[in-house]
Amino acid sequence: MWRHLNRLLFWSIFSSVTCRKAVLDCEAMKTNEFPSPCLDSKTNVVMKGQNVSMFCSHKNKSLQITYSLFRHKTHLGTQNGKGEPAIFNLSITEAHESGPYKCKAQVCSCSKYSRDFNFTIVDPVTAPVLNITVIQTETDRHITLHCLSVNGSLPINYTFFEKHIAISPAISKYDRESAEFKLTRKNPGEEEQYRCEAKNRLPDYAAYSQTVTMPSTGGDSCSFCLKLLLPGLLLLLLVIILILAFWILPKYKARKAMRNNVPRDCGDTAVEVGIYANIHEKQAKEGSVPEVGSRPCVSTARDEAEHTRELQYATPVFWEVAPRQQ
């Protein structure tokens, strides 16, 4: 019983002395402009749903200090510490939870508040899209890389990679537009792989595009030759078709015109007609040639080139004669 009372008395006197010493230290600190506690976090840029840790500390490492954390006027928690900062774990899920936050350091009746601390909520970037434009020459390959992330808080920094090596500095875009990077390569014998990275102010978070592979040219300009060969063959085929058309068409038209201009009846046509008698002198001596129903005639026809061609027609006359010995 006496031992228990002595223990209570001891702790009462110790607490009184400690509190009096703390009050004296507090008064001394007030006289010496007692510094306010410091409230900090590893980052002040977060995304919704992110867990964060806040650290409240004081320069005086010898006092037992009670730390309290507030958001606006809402008390979030209390911790005691001596020489080590108090750690408060939070989750930022809504915009109003971005702050301001304050930390209070208290020793008995002496207390001080830290400065306000605010978080900035940032939307993470989505995986960017990489597009490649290539201009091929006989010796070089001129490449233009385009990278764009359609979501994420601005500004966004873009970096281009060939395989796993960065080939460009960080290109900042303050508008929703693609970043562009140009480079020139000698016609490679191996395939090339490119990708790009998109990153904003959100720390330890980056998004990467799909890898785009460009085939090799085999050490020569074979693909370039193939690109030229197909248009050349088409052009040659077109020239051949035109030559055949201009060569055959006039002949076809001329033959058609001649065929249409030949008269069907030599009797009374508008075509120039001449009558010719083709009678042998011997036959003329023996007697006159009887007139036949159809007369020998000649007609003229003109083709498209205005060349006159004479067409002659004759009616054969047969006489019955006595057989003679040879």
Side-chain angles (χ1 to χ4, degrees), residues 94-198:
E94 300 294 337
H96 70 273
E97 295 178 348
S98 60
Y101 291 87
K102 282 186 177 182
C103 173
K104 183 179 79 170
Q106 183 175 359
V107 177
C108 293
S109 61
C110 181
S111 62
K112 280 286 184 90
Y113 287 88
S114 66
R115 293 181 178 180
D116 291 347
F117 185 92
N118 290 277
F119 289 101
T120 300
I121 298 178
V122 172
D123 294 328
V125 296
T126 56
V129 177
L130 177 64
N131 293 316
I132 300 180
T133 303
V134 180
I135 299 177
Q136 184 74 54
T137 63
E138 293 183 359
T139 58
D140 297 326
R141 176 185 282 179
H142 303 279
I143 303 172
T144 303
L145 306 176
H146 302 270
C147 187
L148 175 64
S149 178
V150 296
N151 292 313
S153 299
L154 299 172
I156 299 178
N157 297 325
Y158 295 96
T159 305
F160 294 91
F161 293 84
E162 183 176 358
K163 294 184 179 179
H164 301 291
I165 302 174
I167 58 175
S168 75
I171 302 174
S172 299
K173 288 295 178 180
Y174 294 86
D175 297 322
R176 193 72 63 184
E177 60 182 3
S178 62
E180 181 179 295
F181 183 71
K182 296 182 179 181
L183 67 156
T184 301
R185 291 284 187 268
K186 295 292 183 182
N187 285 328
E190 299 179 355
E191 63 181 16
E192 300 171 341
Q193 295 180 348
Y194 297 97
R195 66 172 182 164
C196 65
E197 174 196 71

Side-chain angles (χ1 to χ4, degrees), residues 20-41:
R20 183 174 298 178
K21 183 178 182 301
V23 170
L24 293 176
D25 290 340
C26 181
E27 294 295 331
M29 286 187 292
K30 286 182 179 179
T31 305
N32 296 328
E33 296 183 355
F34 170 57
S36 298
C38 179
L39 181 63
D40 199 5
S41 178

Side-chain angles (χ1 to χ4, degrees), residues 276-290:
Y276 296 88
N278 189 11
I279 303 174
H280 197 271
E281 293 180 357
K282 182 179 180 181
Q283 294 174 350
K285 293 179 181 179
E286 293 179 354
S288 61
V289 179

